[in-house]
Amino acid sequence: MRLKTSLLKEPKHILYFLNLIKHKELVSCVGWTTADELYSCSDDHQIMKWNLLTTETTRIVKLPDDIYPIDLHWFPRSVGGKKQSHAEIFVLTSSDGKFHLISKLGRVEKSVEAHCGAVLAGRWNYEGTALVTVGEDGQVKIWSKSGMLRSTLAQQGTPVYSVAWGPDSEKVLYTSGKQLVIKPLQPNAKVLQWKAHDGLILKTDWNSVNDLILSAGEDCKYKVWDSYGRLLYSSQPHEYPITSVAWAVDGELFAVGSFHTLRLCDKTGWSYALEKPNTGSIFNIAWSIDGTQLAGACGNGHVIFAHVVEQRWEWKNFEITLIKRRTMEVHNVINDAVDLLEFRDRVIKASLNYGHLVVSTSLQCYVFSTKNWNTPLIFDLKEGTVSLILQAERHFLLVDGGGLYLYSYEGRLISSPKFPGMRTDILNAQTVSLSNDTLAVKDKADEKVIYIFEALSGKPLGDGKPLTHKMEIVEIALDQKGLTNERKIAFIDKNRDLYITSVKRFGKEQKIVKIGTMVQTLAWNDTSNILCGIQDTRFTVWYYPNTVYVDKDLLPKTLYEKDASEFSKNPQIVYFVGNQITIRRADGSLIHLNISPYPAILHEYVSSSKWEDAVRLCRFVKDQTMWACLAAMAVANKDMATAEIAYASIGEIDKVQYINSIKDLPSKESRMAHILLFSGNTQEAETLLLQTGLVYQAIQVNINLYNWDRALELAVKHKTHVDTVLAYRQKFLEDFGKKETNKRFLQYAEGLEVDWNKIKAKIEMEIAKERERAAASPAVRA
């Protein structure tokens, strides 16, 4: 990826003296109205409009000579898909201590006395309900959108050079000398402050999508922080102070400006491209709404434009490169075939997966099949600012400012899910996940909540209640294969713990089980339900994560682990396709890892119920991990014969004995209940036995598990085997030399003598009844 820059031969911001002498005045700030229209302000007191389609530059207004503009920020265009009526104005801060609300046509709607000395920066919040300004007087002030003072948030002795809103518009980040300060709007809330640079901090920015902070200073460094003030990246010192930094809207890239320097960086901090244009210092950088280009305000009177080109997408044997704004090159590495894809408008977003390339331009969406690059399917878009494309095997998701749209690969709109307070502008690949039948979206208003939708209808899944966790959730991912009712979602919470749970939720609380700690990044395989992640210093593959629901003790035996120290700090899993995993290190380099292909083949055999083939494969591979996976898969699918072979192969003799005892049970219902017990599903086992009239067996299950209160409760409720429960309880206490203290047991034991001969006779009668019933059932006769 790199930047393609363009500069005019002569700057447009020029001040004439006596109509003869030309003087290049520095451009102080720039801001985009649309993806092709930019406004710039300069010390020549002019506001210019740049049209990139026609390459025309027009003067909007000439400000009074005492107004030297410093910063501008456009009112937000839309919130939650709704266009803002106010969106035709921008705030301009100036050296005379005022900020000015100026219309698109150049009319000054209002000028407000704001600070003593220059107003150094002004920013609208994301909803457009408030404006923050900072100045040379060290004050941070909050204003209404009409320019009325609401509060003075902070007051200090040093000038505040830069300010940014937090993603929820509830906090403000500002500079204070060498310090960065995050101050909530609520009074008495905790203020976070830390030393960020060794020199004066000149610029800062806070992205709403990834929640990361940028800072730049006179120590010639730029840095990336998380919202807790923890340093994620610090650059090497540059030759000159860093005068500007800015996030792209989607939070994937940011730009850095310095003297004769423009740098493009990944969100982790490492540099994609370094340009050395003849610009003087770049004082301000603004990204276009679609994130494809940026503009810089230059010290020599120029406005520099830069387009992001040479982005790459890979899938199996295809590599696709954006070589120009409207042209992609497809390279098939197997036969070296090259195809050129031409588009009518510039490419904004693209995704390559599951045999399809999906490309969104400013007006249209193109869907290509990897089998045929010549005839794409094309349909028009409602809004041209697609911020995210996610693909599943059967369909894909487009996210723009208006909503979530699920399309088939034939271009048919399938559904458009919605939920209360939905903000699509802050969604990214970590907070949205898609599978063939399910869509999961993390809620921004309450970060402990995940909304889960049916892909085909767009309606909430199950009973309509979202999935709620006890901690804030950072990243989510749905598995891709298997049946809908077995769909699982994995997520990482704020503590960096990895959990897994089923997406099907009907009334009762579903088990959310922890399967990993200190997990930084995760990904599901595209063709089988194998999960990989990097936890602490280990790269881990969960070959069968569902093991936690079948036999939790078996989970460690189904893992593949490898030392992850070679991946350095903050690595990210980019792809998990087939048996190859691609990891991007913090320095930008890609590492390809291969895992064993056998677990995926085992998944395939099990999904097709080819148990004999699965056993044969494990015998061929001779790997304990494979046998452990097969044991868990067999129990999950109620194939106890295969489970017995697999458990025997890994030396779990006690479980083999239990499986043998299950085989000897007289009825199908009893066997099914004991298989559920084997998996730890006590409640389901008891319910199954009671539903089929096997009350004694349900009581015996609770006795075996020492659930004495429940066993007595069932016996009393069904008026049977009370004496059996009391007898077993008495024997249990005698074995441990204890006396009865439970009031209920004392009440029912009063005046009752335990006769083991009678009890044994009753138990034998129950077993005989069950045998007769099993013999008479149609399933057995068949």
Side-chain angles (χ1 to χ4, degrees):
M1 200 184 298
R2 66 179 182 85
L3 289 172
K4 187 180 179 184
T5 58
S6 57
L7 277 171
L8 296 177
K9 285 182 182 175
E10 281 293 320
K12 293 288 182 181
H13 286 285
I14 295 175
L15 204 58
Y16 289 90
F17 293 103
L18 305 172
N19 295 327
L20 294 170
I21 308 165
K22 289 193 294 186
H23 182 66
K24 298 174 184 177
E25 289 290 344
L26 72 83
V27 182
S28 55
C29 47
V30 287
W32 298 85
T33 52
T34 67
D36 296 301
E37 190 177 83
L38 180 93
Y39 278 52
S40 64
C41 303
S42 163
D43 278 4
D44 64 0
H45 314 290
Q46 295 184 99
I47 298 177
M48 310 283 278
K49 180 169 82 173
W50 305 69
N51 189 319
L52 270 67
L53 294 176
T54 60
T55 65
E56 286 178 5
T57 312
T58 51
R59 188 172 83 173
I60 296 299
V61 67
K62 170 95 166 51
L63 298 168
D65 287 350
D66 60 337
I67 295 180
Y68 286 88
I70 295 173
D71 191 25
L72 80 84
H73 192 226
W74 281 93
F75 194 85
R77 284 176 70 235
S78 62
V79 173
K82 294 174 186 170
K83 288 278 188 292
Q84 294 268 33
S85 56
H86 248 68
E88 301 294 297
I89 67 163
F90 62 91
V91 61
L92 181 77
T93 69
S94 59
S95 59
D96 60 354
K98 296 178 184 175
F99 69 80
H100 313 272
L101 301 179
I102 302 175
S103 76
K104 198 173 180 181
L105 301 172
R107 190 169 70 249
V108 179
E109 304 287 348
K110 193 170 189 179
S111 293
V112 178
E113 288 276 359
H115 292 264
C116 294
V119 185
L120 297 175
R123 285 287 176 271
W124 297 104
N125 69 358
Y126 293 101
E127 292 78 30
T129 54
L131 170 73
V132 62
T133 61
V134 295
E136 279 186 323
D137 57 2
Q139 293 189 339
V140 180
K141 293 184 176 182
I142 308 292
W143 309 80
S144 72
K145 66 180 178 183
S146 58
M148 303 291 288
L149 180 64
R150 283 188 184 164
S151 66
T152 300
L153 193 66
Q155 198 160 355
Q156 53 187 39
T158 55
V160 180
Y161 287 97
S162 188
V163 69
W165 286 95
D168 54 4
S169 296
E170 294 294 322
K171 299 186 190 85
V172 168
L173 165 74
Y174 60 90
T175 66
S176 173
K178 300 174 184 180
Q179 312 260 327
L180 282 175
V181 184
I182 296 176
K183 177 131 192 206
L185 297 190
Q186 293 90 358
N188 305 322
K190 189 181 175 188
V191 177
L192 182 64
Q193 183 168 345
W194 70 97
K195 186 187 175 187
H197 287 261
D198 295 324
L200 199 65
I201 301 172
L202 300 175
K203 274 285 192 302
T204 188
D205 197 10
W206 194 348
N207 187 262
S208 63
V209 178
N210 61 30
D211 199 22
L212 298 179
I213 291 166
L214 288 175
S215 64
E218 287 189 343
D219 60 357
C220 306
K221 292 180 182 179
Y222 63 88
K223 298 184 180 184
V224 183
W225 311 84
D226 68 10
S227 54
Y228 303 102
R230 293 178 295 208
L231 181 65
L232 302 180
Y233 179 84
S234 175
S235 73
Q236 292 297 314
H238 285 58
E239 234 179 309
Y240 300 99
I242 309 292
T243 46
S244 54
V245 282
W247 282 109
V249 181
D250 64 5
E252 291 299 313
L253 302 170
F254 67 87
V256 178
S258 181
F259 182 74
H260 288 341
T261 303
L262 182 62
R263 192 183 280 278
L264 178 69
C265 300
D266 176 80
K267 64 183 175 187
T268 56
W270 55 269
S271 181
Y272 270 121
L274 175 65
E275 299 293 326
K276 288 286 188 180
N278 183 24
T279 55
S281 289
I282 298 175
F283 290 109
N284 183 239
I285 293 172
W287 283 86
S288 64
I289 294 150
D290 58 18
T292 61
Q293 56 193 331
L294 58 91
C298 307
N300 62 359
H302 278 285
V303 173
I304 185 170
F305 293 94
H307 296 271
V308 180
V309 292
E310 290 186 15
Q311 288 163 281
R312 279 189 171 81
W313 297 266
E314 291 175 12
W315 182 76
K316 293 193 174 175
N317 53 301
F318 291 100
E319 184 183 58
I320 295 178
T321 309
L322 182 69
I323 52 173
K324 293 178 186 171
R325 278 181 283 165
R326 299 176 186 177
T327 309
M328 281 179 156
E329 183 183 85
V330 181
H331 181 206
N332 186 338
V333 296
I334 290 177
N335 57 15
D336 258 356
V338 174
D339 291 277
L340 283 182
L341 311 179
E342 299 278 352
F343 301 93
R344 192 183 72 186
D345 309 293
R346 74 170 171 277
V347 172
I348 292 173
K349 286 278 174 190
S351 176
L352 176 64
N353 217 333
Y354 297 103
H356 290 90
L357 170 69
V358 181
V359 179
S360 77
T361 67
S362 50
L363 296 170
Q364 293 174 311
C365 180
Y366 295 73
V367 182
F368 295 86
S369 167
T370 54
K371 293 171 185 171
N372 180 9
W373 297 106
N374 299 320
T375 51
L377 186 136
I378 306 169
F379 59 90
D380 292 335
L381 295 169
K382 290 180 184 175
E383 203 173 308
T385 52
V386 171
S387 57
L388 180 67
I389 303 173
L390 284 184
Q391 287 179 261
E393 192 178 6
R394 294 179 196 158
H395 41 236
F396 63 93
L397 179 77
L398 295 183
V399 180
D400 65 18
L404 306 166
Y405 305 100
L406 210 63
Y407 289 92
S408 70
Y409 286 112
E410 291 76 46
R412 180 174 55 86
L413 179 64
I414 299 170
S415 64
S416 181
K418 290 181 174 62
F419 58 89
M422 182 170 78
R423 269 186 67 187
T424 56
D425 58 321
I426 54 173
L427 298 177
N428 63 9
Q430 280 73 49
T431 55
V432 188
S433 187
L434 179 69
S435 72
N436 281 335
D437 42 55
T438 312
L439 173 69
V441 185
K442 190 186 91 170
D443 187 15
K444 185 64 187 175
D446 182 356
E447 296 197 339
K448 298 175 183 176
V449 170
I450 301 171
Y451 287 99
I452 300 171
F453 302 94
E454 287 177 359
L456 296 180
S457 66
K459 292 176 182 172
L461 200 66
D463 58 6
K465 291 178 183 174
L467 166 62
T468 306
H469 186 50
K470 58 180 187 266
M471 289 285 297
E472 287 89 348
I473 294 162
V474 177
E475 186 173 345
I476 64 174
L478 287 163
D479 66 11
Q480 296 299 310
K481 302 301 283 186
L483 302 172
T484 306
N485 60 356
E486 293 173 2
R487 181 74 55 235
K488 296 287 186 290
I489 185 168
F491 59 86
I492 302 170
D493 69 11
K494 200 170 165 186
N495 285 344
R496 289 284 160 193
D497 290 330
L498 173 62
Y499 290 84
I500 189 169
T501 187
S502 173
V503 299
K504 284 278 185 183
R505 315 180 72 73
F506 291 97
K508 65 174 183 166
E509 198 56 41
Q510 196 78 31
K511 273 198 283 188
I512 300 175
V513 188
K514 182 158 83 169
I515 60 169
T517 56
M518 295 303 291
V519 180
Q520 299 164 43
T521 175
L522 81 157
W524 286 98
N525 186 259
D526 65 332
T527 52
S528 52
N529 290 338
I530 299 173
L531 180 68
C532 73
I534 296 172
Q535 50 174 352
D536 205 8
T537 56
R538 299 186 317 283
F539 169 73
T540 307
V541 181
W542 290 264
Y543 283 133
Y544 187 55
N546 214 28
T547 306
V548 291
Y549 291 106
V550 178
D551 184 351
K552 202 170 183 179
D553 300 335
L554 202 59
L555 185 67
K557 294 186 179 181
T558 64
L559 305 183
Y560 165 76
E561 291 191 310
K562 180 184 187 303
D563 179 47
S565 55
E566 64 175 296
F567 306 144
S568 70
K569 194 181 172 188
N570 294 330
Q572 289 291 315
I573 297 170
V574 185
Y575 308 110
F576 185 7
V577 178
N579 61 321
Q580 189 178 76
I581 297 149
T582 305
I583 296 169
R584 176 171 276 129
R585 300 198 330 173
D587 62 0
S589 59
L590 293 175
I591 294 176
H592 300 284
L593 287 181
N594 283 305
I595 60 165
S596 168
Y598 297 122
I601 298 169
L602 185 65
H603 273 272
E604 202 177 311
Y605 282 153
V606 170
S607 64
S608 311
S609 298
K610 295 179 180 175
W611 295 105
E612 287 180 11
D613 290 342
V615 171
R616 206 175 293 121
L617 176 69
C618 290
R619 282 179 177 149
F620 168 73
V621 177
K622 294 176 185 168
D623 180 19
Q624 293 283 295
T625 309
M626 291 283 286
W627 281 116
C629 289
L630 180 60
M633 289 170 178
V635 174
N637 287 276
K638 316 290 188 290
D639 189 310
M640 301 316 281
T642 308
E644 187 183 351
I645 297 167
Y647 274 116
S649 300
I650 54 173
E652 299 272 357
I653 305 304
D654 54 334
K655 287 170 185 173
V656 174
Q657 287 173 336
Y658 187 65
I659 290 167
N660 272 321
S661 71
I662 292 173
K663 281 188 198 169
D664 296 335
L665 292 169
S667 70
K668 180 186 167 187
E669 291 83 0
S670 270
R671 289 194 293 274
M672 190 63 75
H674 279 270
I675 291 169
L676 287 168
L677 276 175
F678 186 88
S679 303
N681 300 316
T682 314
Q683 190 62 51
E684 287 91 331
E686 184 195 286
T687 306
L688 175 64
L689 291 168
L690 292 173
Q691 281 173 349
T692 50
L694 299 172
V695 177
Y696 163 69
Q697 284 80 353
I699 293 168
Q700 191 63 52
V701 160
N702 282 292
I703 290 171
N704 292 344
L705 293 170
Y706 306 120
N707 292 339
W708 298 110
D709 287 328
R710 180 61 181 159
L712 184 61
E713 186 186 325
L714 287 173
V716 171
K717 184 180 175 184
H718 293 277
K719 298 176 182 172
T720 181
H721 287 284
V722 175
D723 56 342
T724 307
V725 177
L726 293 170
Y728 276 106
R729 170 76 170 182
Q730 192 178 320
K731 186 175 183 299
F732 168 76
L733 292 170
E734 282 170 4
D735 289 346
F736 286 94
K738 302 275 184 185
K739 284 191 175 180
E740 184 61 79
T741 54
N742 189 310
K743 286 179 183 175
R744 283 203 81 197
F745 276 91
L746 287 168
Q747 178 194 335
Y748 284 102
E750 204 173 322
L752 187 78
E753 279 190 33
V754 172
D755 185 343
W756 274 104
N757 291 326
K758 272 188 185 178
I759 288 166
K760 282 173 183 172
K762 279 171 78 176
I763 291 170
E764 281 167 12
M765 199 185 296
E766 289 285 359
I767 293 166
K769 264 194 220 170
E770 190 183 348
R771 283 206 177 97
E772 280 172 31
R773 183 175 168 173
S777 75
V780 172
R781 281 205 305 270

